[in-house]
């Protein structure tokens, strides 16, 4: 396993590589993305072991067993890749490249910016079309404020589970931790829903994803709050709002980065959300914040995201440099 300082150095390089290059379209048009491979495995298991003739109890057991097997395979792949690469000359370059593939700073920024650009250049129709690529709610039910709010919430939540969480698990356990985390997170996004089909089979995936995201969601909230002074907001006030409103969210983790983002921007997030087939009536996070949102608020959210990611990078770089001072 990588030493902590060595892992921090490789992670800093991976964060930098992802920020500068992201996921090259030319590469993933020719090769399957590793997350896509996880998705295919999860889909096969969902079709084979989550059939209507099974009881809810059996579905829950099968779902837990499948998750355990998925995590075990992901850990094994990570261990093998890391062992092979560390035995090769300049193999650390391969570790950095693989780690960068599982980070999402660049792609998150681009997808959220596309919603802003859609609103600015094509109006509501363009915003709806772009936001449908990153959220599951019904885009036809969204006005301009709804489109902007959905994009900002996605920006905050995906910063936590698409950037901070994979970085956190790589820092602790190297490639095995990173790849296992992405397997769990992908399973949660595909089957961890409270629906008739997935409520039982995806129960273990949803609960385990809550567990592994718990530390990173708080860290993501903290780095987003640290962007407050750069957006004309009080650091202490935003921190207090995050602590107060994060528990109001139905997710034990998403509330932290979303409450931080709401406080930093001075807007209200969450509230009533309409999905295909059902509606969620949640209270607003930062209810006293502005509820009419625009494309300009998405730009401000992207600024907060960039500052938080830069602070996270500097923290990792500082950890990597610690041996120089001892």
């Amino acid at each position: 396993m990588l030493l902590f300082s060595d892992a921090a150095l490789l992670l800093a390089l991976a964060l930098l590589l992802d920020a500068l290059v992201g996921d090259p379209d030319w590469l993933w048009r020719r090769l399957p993305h590793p997350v896509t491979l996880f998705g295919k495995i999860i889909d096969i298991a969902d079709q084979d072991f989550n059939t209507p003739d099974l009881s809810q109890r059996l579905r829950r057991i099968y779902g837990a067993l499948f998750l355990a097997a998925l995590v075990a395979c992901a850990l094994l792949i990570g261990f093998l890749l890391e062992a092979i690469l560390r035995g090769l000359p300049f193999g650390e370059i391969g570790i950095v490249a693989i780690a960068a593939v599982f980070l999402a700073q660049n792609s998150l920024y681009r997808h959220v910016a596309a919603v802003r650009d859609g609103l600015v250049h094509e109006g509501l129709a363009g915003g709806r079309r772009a936001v449908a690529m990153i959220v599951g709610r019904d885009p036809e039910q969204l006005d301009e404020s709804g489109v902007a709010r959905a994009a900002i919430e996605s920006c905050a939540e995906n910063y936590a589970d698409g950037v901070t969480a994979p970085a956190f698990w790589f820092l602790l356990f190297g490639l095995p931790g990173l790849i296992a985390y992405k397997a769990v997170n992908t399973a949660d996004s595909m089957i961890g829903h409270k629906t008739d089909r997935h409520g039982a089979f995806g129960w273990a995936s949803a609960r385990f994803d809550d567990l592994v995201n718990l530390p990173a969601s708080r860290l993501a909230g903290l780095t987003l709050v640290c962007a407050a002074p750069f957006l004309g907001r009080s650091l202490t006030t935003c921190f207090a709002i995050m602590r107060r409103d994060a528990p109001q969210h139905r997710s034990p983790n998403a509330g932290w980065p979303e409450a931080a983002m709401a406080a930093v921007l001075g807007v209200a997030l969450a509230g009533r959300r309409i999905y295909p087939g059902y509606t969620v009536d949640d209270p607003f996070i930062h209810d006293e914040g502005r509820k009419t949102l625009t494309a300009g608020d998405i730009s401000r959210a992207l600024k907060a995201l960039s500052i938080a990611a830069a602070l996270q990078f500097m923290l990792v770089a500082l950890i990597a440099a610690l041996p120089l001072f001892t």
Side-chain angles (χ1 to χ4, degrees), residues 26 189-190 317:
W26 61 266
S189 67
M190 292 182 64

Side-chain angles (χ1 to χ4, degrees), residues 214-234:
L214 192 146
S217 63
R218 276 71 175 167
L219 290 171
L222 283 173
T223 53
L224 283 169
V225 162
C226 288
F230 298 92
L231 287 118
R233 301 279 290 175
S234 164

Side-chain angles (χ1 to χ4, degrees), residues 300-322:
R300 294 168 64 236
L302 289 169
K303 181 178 180 180
L305 170 68
S306 299
I307 294 167
L311 290 172
Q312 181 175 275
F313 170 78
M314 287 188 286
L315 177 60
V316 172
L318 178 62
I319 294 171
L322 284 177

Side-chain angles (χ1 to χ4, degrees), residues 1-15 82 95 99 103 163-179 181 216 219 312-323:
M1 185 176 293
L2 292 168
L3 295 175
F4 193 63
S5 59
D6 291 342
L9 176 59
L10 296 179
L11 176 59
L13 293 173
L15 287 166
E82 193 171 283
I95 295 176
L103 297 166
V163 181
T164 306
F168 177 83
W169 290 110
F170 179 87
L171 189 60
L172 289 185
F173 301 114
L175 285 181
L178 171 62
I179 295 174
Y181 169 77
L219 290 171
Q312 181 175 275
F313 170 78
M314 287 188 286
L315 177 60
V316 172
L318 178 62
I319 294 171
L322 284 177

Side-chain angles (χ1 to χ4, degrees), residues 262-281:
V264 166
L265 300 183
V267 302
L269 297 179
R272 189 169 187 263
R273 303 184 295 282
I274 301 174
Y275 295 85
Y278 67 100
T279 299
V280 173
D281 279 305

